[in-house]
Each structure stands twice: as C-alpha cells, then as structure tokens.
Amino acid sequence: MAAGRACCEVLWSLSEGDLWPAHAATVTHPLPAGFPHFLVEPDDVYIVKNKPVTLTCRSTPATQIYFKCNGEWVHQDDHLIERTVDPATGLPVMQVKIDISRQQVEKIFGLEDYWCQCVAWSTTGTQKSQKAYVRIAYLRKNFEEEPLGKEVALDQEVLLRCHPPEGVPTAEVEWQRNEELIDPKADPNFFITVDHNLIIKQARLADTGNYTCVAKNIVARRKSSSAAVIVYVNGGWSTEWSKWSACGTDCTMWRSRECTQPAPGTGGKSCQGLDLQSLNCTSEQCPQTVSGAEDVALYVGIVAVALCLTLLLVVLVLVYRRKKAGLDADVADSSILTTGFQPMGIKPTKPENSHLLTIQPDLTTTTTSYQGTLRSRHDMAQKFSVSNGPLLEPLPNGSQTLHNGKLPGEPGDFVSRLASQSYFKTLPRDTVNTSYGTFNFLGGRLTLPNTGISLLIPPEAIPRGKIYEIYLTVQRKEDLRLPLAGCQTLMSPVISCGPPGVVLTRPVIISMDHCSDACPENWAIRLKKQSYEGTWEDVLLLGEELVSEPYYCQLEAETCRVFTEQLGRFALVGESLSMAAAKRLKLLLFAPAYCSTLEYTIRVYCTDDTQDLIKEVMQMEAQLGGRLIDEPHVLLFKDSYHNLRLSIHDLPQAHWRSKLLTGYQEIPFYHIWSGSQRYLHCTFTLERLSVSTCELSCTLCVWQVEGEGQSFSLDFNISKDNRPLDSDFLLVDNSTPALAGPSAFQIPYLIRQKICSSLDAPCPNGADWRLLAQRLKLERHMSFFASKASPTSVILDLWEVQHFHSGNLNQLAAVMGDGPDRANVCSRTVHMIVSYCECERFHFLFRPTLKHGLVLTCSPLTTASGTLRAQ
C-alpha cells in the first residue's frame, strides 16, 4: 500500500503541470513518511565581473532536489548533490548546488530578472523554495549630481547635494572632508540624509575644507569631484565704545570702537558703520586759544595757493577745448563714409572720459580717397557717376574718404591685453573663439563663424569722437559654472562682449542660438548677466520686459536677439513650468575614418542644439580622426527626470557582434538637463568577425521613456564610404569675423538716414514706422520701439541682424510695397522704400510716388540716367 501511495503522489504532482525529470518518479529506497522542508534556501546573489555564483539548497526529508531557473529545469549534470543523514532524527538530508555564469544571465537581460528556485520531493509530496534573484553587479562612473562648492558665514547651515551613480546593488554613500571619513555619530554637527545629502548644521571654522561624496558597492568605489566649502567670519563690533577723549583745540572730542568680536576672517565682511565718533565740546571744555601773527600768515598762504590752482585749471581747460575742436572738425569731415578708423595724419589725443576705455585702441590704419558715391558692401572696387536723386546728395567738396576695412594687430596680442586686466581673468586665451575690432560712430559687426553668435554695433551707438576696441567671445563651460537650481537649465552659450563700462548711446544687438522647444508657455526664460563681483543676476524675464530697462530680448525659433545698452557677459537660463517642457538636443554619430582592426567604435554625442557646441564636437572629432557617419538628428528631451537611453540593434549576427555587456547605455538626466556638461556621448564597441567585412548595417534606438523614442538606420561601408558628411559638411559659415563701417550693413548709411527721417515722424493713417514693424511681423515689440528716439532705426537694426547673410534692399522694398494700403502711404514716406541694387553695368534706385506708383531710376555707368515706369 505504501508503494502504491507513493506512485499516486508522484502522478498527482505531474498532473499539476510541473515537468519533473523522468527519474524523479522512481524511489529506490522507501523512506519514512514526512513532508519535505528546507534547511537552507537559495538567497539573492550578484555576479561581480565574470565570476560565477553558487546557489545552495538543503532539505529534509528529501529524495530528490532540482533547481528551476526562469521556468526551465536545470540539467541534472549541472547539479552537485550531497546526501547525509540527520544524526538527531535519522532522516535523510539532501543538499544541491548549482553555478550560474554571467552569460546565462545576459541571455535574458532586459526582459526580466534572472531567478532560480529549488523543488524538493519526498514520499509525501513536494515543496518549493523561495526565489533567488541573480543580478549582474555594476556601478557607473558618473555621479548623477555632484556637490558644489560654497562660501558660507559662520554658524550658517550648509547643504551639499550628492546623487550617486546608478548601480546594482544600490551604492552606499559616505562623505569625506580632506580625504578623511566623516562620522556623524562621532560629530553630531554632521548629518547625512536618506537622499545621501550632507548637512552641516552650524558651520564652524574647522569645517572649511574639500568635501567629497564617495559611492561604493561590491563592484567598485567612485569619488565625486571635490567641493570646496569656505566658512567665513563677518566682523562684529566690540560691546562698548571707548571713553571720550579730552576736548581738542578744535573744540571736538572723540571715541572709537574696534571690529574684533569677532574679527573678520577668511573673506568675511568687515563691520558696518563708523568706528570713530566725534562730538562738539561745551564752551566750558574748549581750550582757550588766541589768534596771533602765525594764524594770519597761514590763512594768507592758503588763499594764495588756491588762486594759483584756479588759474592753472582755467589754462588747462582752454588748451583742451582747442585741441578737441580741431579733432572734431577732422572727424566730421569724413563722418559720412569712414569705416570706423581714425584718419591718417591726425595725432590722437586723449578722449573725454578715457577711464571708460579699458582697452587702448590701435589706430594704425591706412586710408584711400576716391571720387564717387557710396556703394553697397558687395562691390566696393567699382565706380559710377553720382546720381542727382534726392537720396544721395554728395558732400560739399564732392570727395569722400574711405578707410581700409582690414583690422590691424594680431588676435593673440589683443587677447593677452585683455587677460592682463582683472575683469578678464576668465577670458579664453585661445583666439579661435574670439573676434575683435576697432569701431567708431559708424558701427560695425563682430561674428564668431559657425557658432551662430554675432554682435551688431548700429550706427550712432558709439558717440561721435569716440573709438572703442570691442571684442566678442564665447566662454567654454568649464571656465564658468552658472548657479542653476530646481528645474533650471542653460539654454544658450555663455557670451562675453566688452570691454564693460563703455558708453553706448543706442543698444547693440547680440545674436546667439538657444535650445528651447517652440512652446514658450512651458518655460520661464531669463537673461542673466554677470556682475563685476562675479555673481550672476537676472536682468530680464522674457515676456515681462520693461521698456525702461537697458535690456530687451526677441526669442525666435532657434535664435535669441538681445538688445543691450551695456556690454558684459550674458547667458539664457530656462526654468521649466511643466513636465511637457523640452530642450532640443542634437545627436551626432561619429566613427573612425580608417579602421584596420576587428574592433569598430561608434560614438554618439548628445549635445544642446546650438551651433557653438556642434562646432566644438566637430573640431574635437577631427583631432581624433573621426568622421560623421550620419546626418545630425534633433531630439526633444523632456523635463521628466528620466535618463536618456541608447542601444544598437539589428546587427548582422553572421558578420558583427556587440561587445556591450548590457542591453543599453544611459546618460543621466541631470547631466543633460543642466546644460553644463560638454562632450556627453556613449561609445558602442562592435567587433567584426573578419577583417574583410566592411558592410555595416544596424539600428540606433534613442529613448527617454519606454515607447516614446526614435530609431535611425545606419547602412554604410566602413572603408569606402564617401558621403560628404565630414566636419566641413556643417561648418559652412565663411563670415568675416570683424566688419567695420558701411561694409557691415546691407543698408547704406545715407539711405538709412533718409528712411529714418521719413518714418520716425508719426503719420495720421499709421503709414510710418508702425507700418514697417507690422509688415516685418514685429508688432509684439511696438512699445519697445516707441520708447526709442528713432523707432525706425531700431527696426532696421533688427532687420540687419536677421538678414545679414540672405537679405537685400529689394526684399525690404517688397515687404513695404505689398498690401492694399500701399496707395495710402503718407507723403512723408516718398523716400521710404529704396532698393539699392547693383549689376554689372547699372545702378538702380526704386522709389514710390503717389502720382506714378513705383518709379525705377536707372543710372548706367557710361550713359546719362533715364527713368522707366515699373509695371
């Protein structure tokens, strides 16, 4: 009966659906009845590097024990079985061990966790153990958030943040000060939060030092970059003033106090207020003195010195005014057409307010003279006869002086001069990312090619009689770290232009790329400016601009135009208002231009979608011998706190394999969102099975949230790919870094003056500068334009910035010529639309009239001018 019952138990177990091994139903030696129970169950384990792990299971009474991993039975030969007898009960004890390798776990990586459990049989039934999970241990290198240095006052609370690298098992965090472990139990002034942040409850002088966040697990130990904490002491006055002094000869007594409780230290502020007080004595306390001959002589001497100084000052003022009058006359003689350099033959004198010029201008320029009218910047060499039209009145003597537009000096000399001054300590020493030029009242333009960064100095922005040497540079992000908090992110390059403190009579325009999406309702975007003390201040909130402020901003789809009356260091910082806010990223794929080994690497860069960062990546890859293997792709990165994940799929298994140990790679969310990390990238190492294999096809997948991502197909020959996707493919801006005077503008200076004089005055039917702003779709900025002395001039400045590469006056004339209200243009705008065109032989002027419509004045170079009626 016992044997029959055993057979029935085994058959019943099979009917439950478990696929037991065939020999499990055979019991060679009947054992005492008893349900199996586990003495040892398998525990969760981690695979470190390539070392296999062992799972152990022990049960009594048991006739058979086998492991099942992820729903499949482990082969009998993989079990290490040990049978013993419990000496206390006499029941059989069975122990089984199996080894799990890294390769077994990787086969199902990404689908679910790898788990195993053991099943024990006895004559009375079966029993399953708990599941033991087997995971591959790792610890990534980069911290998701590193501590930042701070300067704090004595007794102030200090918070240092740390978000350790992702790892399995989760990393433990400890803190070090000057390489020594911080123990909150030994020093209760320290406290480590559950989020791994370090709190110094009351800062002490002894707490000054370098703090490091250390993350460790069973795989590795990582250290963050050190954060310098400086505890400073603000000075305090002593508790009582000193005693009053004896009354002096001036009938005054004094008392003092000292800034010693505590004395200021480690950069702390000194005491605020007076350290010395005076008080008039009473008449009884004043010492009695008698004025004698000595006092009379003293007073006479003082009066004589004062008279001499006054006479000397009058003489100096008269001499200065004569010299200045001579210089202004020379400048006015060429004030219409000079390109921004002081004329040859005039010895420069020290200008007024010279303390505002932090850089002495270089005046070594050459000049040339010729007869003729002003030409556009496209063809300065040719000459043509002067038109007698109302827009081009020649100068009284019929001649003008043009100055060579080539900027003197070497860039290295200019940068070294800047770096020698205190404000420019963080100015980059390299001249690749810096442009400079010498400018006067005619203005000009500075450009950093292939960065989208430029500075427009409009005419009359620099006061007449002044000459400024101005620079424009982009700061590398490791040179400056903006303080960002919460959901804030850097959305533009950090731009410096200067020297700061120069006097400007009109706003200049800075153009730079930004990487926000096209949804301004999701953002609060601020313009930040660095002060002389080095702190960053909010000077403008987009959408809430005040026309009375010296800053204004126009945000376009990919570019920001900043109007500013003060030069300095600027950056755009955005704060997301919802999780729908997104930054534009640019994905750049590079691979070696030449590969002779079996290994082949693909580097995927993830950078903000601004031209300056793309240029940096291009230049760095050119040095590494890399080439672009696909066109750049735009990716929207949302403020969802999810990391960016990248993976490669669909490799032809017969020819290629991936050496990546995990299913995908990740770039931490904070590293991307902060915008302060350069050259963020992932490297995928592939291995071809034969050197003769050259064709590579695969799919790159990029996603932030499961189910919401992009995939890009790659298919090319690694040795014969000749597609024009190298660094020159994107770096196509050949703009001149510096242009001074008329060559920097589309609209000639005289025509610009005529347009401004025609449109600045209000017109009853609105056919003035307001119509120009409306036609150019700039209605949002009407109040800003109206606040300026010449609204038309500011509008034309913005048009110049937007159309420097592609615009011409025909386009501007066409904009103003369209529309049903063209016939109602005020008579003051007769000369408003002027198209200054050039061809090989003709010089054309277009001007509208109420009587004849649009009239074309044609002035051939070799014949008399004629008039044609435009259709």
Side-chain angles (χ1 to χ4, degrees), residues 23 36 68 94 128 155 211 225 356 368 381 389 393 398 483 523 585 593 745 752 759 784 791 799 850:
H23 63 275
K68 176 191 287 187
M94 185 177 229
K128 296 181 180 180
D155 296 330
Y211 287 78
S225 57
L356 297 177
T368 57
E393 293 89 350
W523 292 96
L585 304 181
F745 302 97
R752 177 190 180 95
L759 295 184
F784 171 67
W799 184 88
L850 293 177

Side-chain angles (χ1 to χ4, degrees), residues 416-439:
S416 63
R417 277 185 285 154
L418 289 179
S420 64
Q421 303 183 36
S422 59
Y423 183 79
F424 306 102
K425 290 181 179 178
T426 57
L427 189 68
R429 295 274 179 174
D430 63 320
T431 59
V432 176
N433 297 311
T434 303
S435 296
Y436 75 98
T438 305
F439 304 94

Side-chain angles (χ1 to χ4, degrees), residues 374-389:
L374 176 66
R375 300 296 307 274
S376 74
R377 66 186 185 91
H378 301 290
D379 186 6
M380 297 295 294
Q382 297 181 357
K383 304 178 182 178
F384 47 82
S385 59
V386 177
S387 170
N388 294 324

Side-chain angles (χ1 to χ4, degrees), residues 317-573:
V317 169
L318 293 175
V319 171
Y320 173 76
R321 286 184 175 180
R322 289 183 180 180
K323 289 186 177 181
K324 184 175 183 301
L327 177 61
D328 288 344
D330 291 331
V331 172
D333 183 53
S334 58
S335 61
I336 299 299
L337 300 177
T338 179
T339 62
F341 301 101
Q342 186 164 336
M344 184 175 63
I346 297 179
K347 183 176 181 180
T349 59
K350 188 173 182 180
E352 290 182 318
N353 300 328
S354 60
H355 64 281
L356 297 177
L357 289 175
T358 58
I359 304 298
Q360 290 298 322
D362 188 351
L363 305 180
T364 58
T365 61
T366 58
T367 63
T368 57
S369 299
Y370 77 99
Q371 297 286 345
T373 60
L374 176 66
R375 300 296 307 274
S376 74
R377 66 186 185 91
H378 301 290
D379 186 6
M380 297 295 294
Q382 297 181 357
K383 304 178 182 178
F384 47 82
S385 59
V386 177
S387 170
N388 294 324
L391 295 177
L392 293 178
E393 293 89 350
L395 294 178
N397 58 1
S399 65
Q400 297 83 26
T401 301
L402 287 182
H403 294 267
N404 195 336
K406 183 178 180 181
L407 297 178
E410 293 296 330
D413 298 337
F414 176 75
V415 173
S416 63
R417 277 185 285 154
L418 289 179
S420 64
Q421 303 183 36
S422 59
Y423 183 79
F424 306 102
K425 290 181 179 178
T426 57
L427 189 68
R429 295 274 179 174
D430 63 320
T431 59
V432 176
N433 297 311
T434 303
S435 296
Y436 75 98
T438 305
F439 304 94
N440 66 3
F441 75 96
L442 285 175
R445 184 189 307 264
L446 291 176
T447 303
L448 300 180
N450 297 302
T451 63
I453 300 169
S454 66
L455 172 66
L456 181 76
I457 307 168
E460 307 295 343
I462 297 176
R464 291 183 177 242
K466 300 292 183 182
I467 298 176
Y468 294 157
E469 192 168 22
I470 297 178
Y471 69 88
L472 174 68
T473 185
V474 57
Q475 301 284 156
R476 295 193 179 274
K477 295 182 177 178
E478 65 266 23
D479 297 334
L480 294 172
R481 177 173 290 185
L482 272 73
L484 301 177
C487 301
Q488 290 184 340
T489 176
L490 183 62
M491 309 196 74
S492 75
V494 181
I495 305 300
S496 293
C497 57
V502 298
V503 176
L504 297 175
T505 57
R506 291 186 49 205
V508 298
I509 303 179
I510 302 172
S511 298
M512 55 185 174
D513 288 354
H514 68 86
C515 60
S516 70
D517 59 8
C519 302
E521 64 274 8
N522 295 331
W523 292 96
I525 300 179
R526 291 175 171 84
L527 178 67
K528 286 183 175 285
K529 182 177 184 291
Q530 191 176 32
S531 66
Y532 289 95
E533 292 78 17
T535 59
W536 286 91
E537 303 171 346
D538 293 342
V539 296
L540 179 67
L541 175 62
L542 267 68
E544 299 182 9
E545 301 92 344
L546 298 177
V547 296
S548 59
E549 296 294 327
Y551 309 100
Y552 196 81
C553 187
Q554 171 174 295
L555 194 70
E556 300 170 4
E558 297 180 356
T559 307
C560 178
R561 317 286 185 185
V562 178
F563 294 79
T564 175
E565 298 175 10
Q566 300 175 5
L567 303 184
R569 188 166 290 146
F570 299 91
L572 278 185
V573 172

Side-chain angles (χ1 to χ4, degrees), residues 72-281:
E72 297 182 0
W73 290 104
V74 178
H75 195 276
Q76 178 182 359
D77 296 339
D78 295 333
H79 290 75
L80 180 61
I81 302 175
E82 181 182 348
R83 300 176 187 272
T84 59
V85 176
D86 188 343
T89 62
L91 295 176
V93 178
M94 185 177 229
Q95 178 175 286
V96 176
K97 296 181 179 181
I98 62 171
D99 290 337
I100 305 296
S101 67
R102 185 186 186 106
Q103 289 74 17
Q104 291 175 262
V105 178
E106 287 179 342
K107 286 182 179 179
I108 64 162
F109 186 85
L111 301 177
E112 57 179 327
D113 289 332
Y114 192 95
W115 58 266
C116 295
Q117 69 177 166
C118 59
V119 182
W121 289 268
S122 72
T123 56
T124 60
T126 61
Q127 181 71 12
K128 296 181 180 180
S129 72
Q130 66 182 8
K131 287 184 178 181
Y133 289 91
V134 182
R135 299 181 176 91
I136 298 176
Y138 67 92
L139 183 62
R140 300 199 185 279
K141 294 183 179 180
N142 297 325
F143 281 71
E144 296 190 9
E145 184 176 8
E146 293 186 299
L148 301 177
K150 295 184 177 181
E151 295 184 2
V152 296
L154 187 69
D155 296 330
Q156 181 181 337
E157 182 181 275
V158 183
L159 172 63
L160 297 177
R161 298 184 179 275
C162 177
H163 195 169
E166 180 185 354
V168 173
T170 302
E172 299 177 357
V173 174
E174 61 186 21
W175 284 85
Q176 294 180 348
R177 180 183 63 192
N178 298 332
E179 302 297 329
E180 294 183 359
L181 181 65
I182 294 176
D183 185 4
K185 294 181 180 179
D187 189 347
N189 194 42
F190 293 103
F191 176 72
I192 300 178
T193 68
V194 293
D195 296 330
H196 313 301
N197 300 326
L198 177 66
I199 295 178
I200 305 176
K201 298 178 182 178
Q202 287 185 313
R204 305 159 296 190
L205 289 178
D207 293 328
T208 297
N210 294 319
Y211 287 78
T212 308
C213 180
V214 181
K216 61 181 180 178
N217 64 5
I218 59 177
V219 178
R221 187 170 183 265
R222 313 287 189 202
K223 282 188 175 183
S224 71
S225 57
S226 296
V229 175
I230 299 176
V231 181
Y232 59 84
V233 181
N234 291 327
W237 292 112
S238 54
T239 55
E240 295 180 357
W241 289 83
S242 67
K243 294 183 179 180
W244 288 102
S245 67
C247 192
T249 57
D250 57 350
C251 205
T252 304
M253 56 183 180
W254 303 84
R255 70 172 181 174
S256 62
R257 57 177 176 173
E258 296 181 348
C259 185
T260 58
Q261 294 186 357
T266 59
K269 296 180 180 179
S270 185
C271 299
Q272 301 296 318
L274 300 175
D275 60 350
L276 194 66
Q277 275 189 342
S278 64
L279 187 67
N280 292 331
C281 306

Side-chain angles (χ1 to χ4, degrees), residues 140 144 166 583 585-587 604-607 635-638 640-647 664-673 680-682 684 700-706 708-710 712:
R140 300 199 185 279
E144 296 190 9
E166 180 185 354
K583 292 179 64 175
L585 304 181
K586 188 64 71 73
L587 298 180
V604 183
Y605 289 84
C606 178
T607 180
L635 176 70
L636 292 180
F637 187 77
K638 294 185 178 180
S640 62
Y641 296 99
H642 288 95
N643 298 340
L644 186 68
R645 297 180 175 181
L646 304 95
S647 63
Y664 54 83
Q665 298 195 59
E666 282 188 322
I667 301 178
F669 169 83
Y670 179 77
H671 288 180
I672 299 177
W673 192 256
L680 285 176
H681 72 281
C682 291
F684 292 92
L700 173 67
C701 296
V702 183
W703 73 98
Q704 191 180 6
V705 180
E706 292 292 343
E708 299 180 8
Q710 300 182 38
F712 312 105

Side-chain angles (χ1 to χ4, degrees), residues 646-831:
L646 304 95
S647 63
I648 283 185
H649 302 280
D650 303 331
L651 281 171
Q653 300 297 326
H655 303 286
W656 292 87
R657 73 179 185 92
S658 173
K659 300 189 71 173
L660 185 66
L661 299 179
T662 58
Y664 54 83
Q665 298 195 59
E666 282 188 322
I667 301 178
F669 169 83
Y670 179 77
H671 288 180
I672 299 177
W673 192 256
S674 68
S676 59
Q677 299 282 345
R678 300 173 63 213
Y679 307 143
L680 285 176
H681 72 281
C682 291
T683 300
F684 292 92
T685 302
L686 309 179
E687 185 178 31
R688 46 181 174 172
L689 304 183
S690 172
V691 180
S692 61
T693 301
C694 295
E695 296 293 334
L696 174 60
S697 61
C698 59
T699 302
L700 173 67
C701 296
V702 183
W703 73 98
Q704 191 180 6
V705 180
E706 292 292 343
E708 299 180 8
Q710 300 182 38
S711 61
F712 312 105
S713 297
L714 304 177
D715 188 358
F716 61 97
N717 187 303
I718 66 174
S719 62
K720 299 181 180 179
D721 190 19
N722 295 320
R723 291 175 297 173
L725 294 175
D726 53 12
S727 58
D728 295 335
F729 181 77
L730 294 181
L731 307 183
V732 295
D733 186 0
N734 296 320
S735 301
T736 303
L739 292 172
S743 62
F745 302 97
Q746 295 279 356
I747 307 174
Y749 184 78
L750 290 178
I751 295 179
R752 177 190 180 95
Q753 286 184 319
K754 290 292 185 179
I755 296 177
C756 292
S757 62
S758 299
L759 295 184
D760 280 342
C763 198
N765 59 1
D768 47 31
W769 64 266
R770 293 169 293 178
L771 177 61
L772 178 62
Q774 179 183 355
R775 292 289 180 83
L776 295 176
K777 297 181 173 57
L778 300 175
E779 300 95 329
R780 191 179 75 85
H781 311 298
M782 286 291 194
S783 58
F784 171 67
F785 298 145
S787 67
K788 302 304 175 183
S790 174
T792 309
S793 184
V794 180
I795 297 174
L796 296 180
D797 293 342
L798 186 55
W799 184 88
E800 288 275 6
V801 170
Q802 293 174 328
H803 300 85
F804 177 59
H805 292 289
S806 60
N808 56 55
L809 289 178
N810 284 335
Q811 295 177 347
L812 184 60
V815 168
M816 289 303 300
D818 293 337
D821 53 354
R822 179 175 56 181
N824 297 323
V825 176
C826 178
S827 59
R828 294 182 181 179
T829 64
V830 169
H831 307 303

